[in-house]
Amino acid sequence: MPVVVLEARDCVSPLFLVRMWALLCGCLTFSLVASLEHWQPHDQLNTFWVTYMFTWCFFFTLTLLIHILNVLRFHSLLPISWKNMTVTVAALGALMTFSASVLFSWTVMNYRPLYKPLAAAVASCLTVLAYCSEVWVIRRQTREQRGYMASLPGFLKILQCWGGCQMIPLFMVRLAEPDWQLWLSVGLCNVCLLMSLASITVILCDCTGRCPFPFDRLLAAFSLLGVVLYMIATVISVTNVLLFNKIVVLGPLRFELAIMETVIVSITLLAYTVDFSISIKLLCERVHG
C-alpha cells in the first residue's frame, strides 16, 4: 500500500500550485455563473448554458480527483498510465474550458448588471491559463515522465477529441430544423469522435501492446479516415455558410452557429491532416530504419 508522505516541498511544486490554481478558479467560475439572478437564456442558447456548466464542473471534479490521488500517492494503484492521464486531462481541460469561456461570453452579452458575468468570464480565462500552465510544466519533464500524450501526436488526438465534443451542442441546437446535411454531419463527426476516444482510451490503459493490429498503423488508418470524413463535413459547413438566403431566413443566430461549426470543423480537419502526416512519416522512418 502507498504511504502518505506530504512534504513541504510538495506543496510548492509547480504541478501542485497550478492544480490548486485550476481548482480555485474553476470553483469560482461555476459558482459565479450559478449565482446569476433573473437570467433565462434563449431556448436555443440553453443548450450552451448546460454545456459550459457541465464543462467547468466536470474538469473541476477530474482535477480534484487527480490532485487528491497525487497527494495521497494512490495513483500507482490505478490500472492506467498516470503520466498520460494527467496531461490528457490538462490539455483537454484547457481546450474545453476555453470553448466554455467563449460560449459564456457570447451568451451573456446582454445580461445586466455586467460585473458578475465579467468576473465569471475572467475566472474562466484564468482557469484556461492554469490548465495551459500545467501542460507546460509537464512538457518540461523528461520524455519518460511525460508520456506519449504530451507529444505532438498526443496533443493532436486531444484536439481531435475536442473538435468532436464541440460539435455535439451545435448539432443539438440545430435539431429543431433537421435536414439530411445535419444527419450526415452528425454521423461523420460521431464516427471520428469515437475513433479518437478509442485511441486515447487504449493509450491511457497501456493496452497498445495487446492490440490485435499494429497500433501505429491503426492510428494512421484512423487519421486517414478522419481526414476523409472531416473533408466532407467541412464542405457541408462551408456550403451552409455560403447559402446566405437560407441563413437570412433563419435569422442571425443561425448564421453565427454556422460560422462556429465551420471554424471547429476546419480546425479538427487540420488536426487530422497533420496527425496523418506525422503517422506516415513515422511509419516510413520505421520501415527504412
Side-chain angles (χ1 to χ4, degrees):
M1 291 292 293
V3 179
V4 180
V5 181
L6 185 60
E7 301 179 358
R9 62 183 180 182
D10 294 328
C11 297
V12 294
S13 65
L15 280 177
F16 184 93
L17 294 177
V18 294
R19 283 172 184 157
M20 285 298 301
W21 176 11
L23 288 172
L24 292 175
C25 291
C27 181
L28 178 62
T29 300
F30 63 74
S31 298
L32 286 172
V33 176
S35 65
L36 293 178
E37 299 177 356
H38 310 298
W39 181 48
Q40 294 295 331
H42 189 276
D43 289 340
Q44 288 183 302
L45 299 182
N46 187 59
T47 301
F48 293 123
W49 187 87
V50 174
T51 299
Y52 51 67
M53 282 297 290
F54 173 79
T55 299
W56 290 322
C57 296
F58 178 74
F59 282 99
F60 171 82
T61 304
L62 276 183
T63 305
L64 181 61
L65 289 175
I66 288 175
H67 194 53
I68 293 174
L69 290 173
N70 191 64
V71 169
L72 298 180
R73 304 292 192 268
F74 280 1
H75 55 81
S76 58
L77 301 178
L78 301 177
I80 59 174
S81 174
W82 184 252
K83 56 186 178 182
N84 286 315
M85 178 68 179
T86 54
V87 71
T88 299
V89 172
L92 189 57
L95 291 170
M96 295 292 290
T97 308
F98 173 76
S99 302
S101 303
V102 174
L103 287 175
F104 173 73
S105 302
W106 176 56
T107 55
V108 297
M109 288 188 296
N110 297 323
Y111 183 85
R112 294 295 183 273
L114 193 59
Y115 66 90
K116 190 175 289 187
L118 182 61
V122 172
S124 183
C125 292
L126 290 176
T127 308
V128 176
L129 189 57
Y131 282 122
C132 292
S133 301
E134 182 178 351
V135 173
W136 180 74
V137 170
I138 295 175
R139 285 278 296 172
R140 293 191 62 189
Q141 297 176 343
T142 62
R143 181 174 300 180
E144 293 75 16
Q145 290 178 310
R146 64 191 186 198
Y148 173 84
M149 295 304 296
S151 63
L152 179 57
F155 281 134
L156 289 172
K157 289 172 179 56
I158 295 173
L159 185 59
Q160 296 161 11
C161 184
W162 166 83
C165 292
Q166 292 306 303
M167 296 304 293
I168 294 176
L170 291 175
F171 288 147
M172 293 180 65
V173 171
R174 291 178 55 194
L175 285 179
E177 46 199 39
D179 52 25
W180 69 269
Q181 294 178 337
L182 172 63
W183 293 115
L184 179 59
S185 298
V186 169
L188 297 177
C189 294
N190 283 341
V191 169
C192 294
L193 177 60
L194 290 176
M195 290 191 303
S196 298
L197 289 176
S199 302
I200 293 175
T201 302
V202 170
I203 294 171
L204 294 184
C205 294
D206 271 337
C207 297
T208 56
R210 286 176 264 176
C211 183
F213 305 100
F215 192 65
D216 51 353
R217 297 186 180 183
L218 187 62
L219 291 179
F222 281 172
S223 299
L224 176 58
L225 184 58
V227 170
V228 174
L229 296 182
Y230 263 97
M231 284 181 64
I232 300 173
T234 303
V235 171
I236 295 175
S237 300
V238 173
T239 302
N240 288 333
V241 172
L242 296 178
L243 292 177
F244 291 104
N245 294 332
K246 182 179 178 181
I247 293 171
V248 169
V249 172
L250 296 176
L253 178 59
R254 178 66 182 84
F255 178 72
E256 294 173 1
L257 295 177
I259 293 294
M260 289 183 189
E261 181 180 327
T262 303
V263 171
I264 293 173
V265 168
S266 301
I267 293 174
T268 312
L269 173 61
L270 180 61
Y272 274 106
T273 304
V274 176
D275 191 21
F276 177 65
S277 302
I278 294 176
S279 298
I280 294 299
K281 179 183 177 182
L282 294 177
L283 287 175
C284 292
E285 289 179 351
R286 183 168 302 178
V287 171
H288 295 291

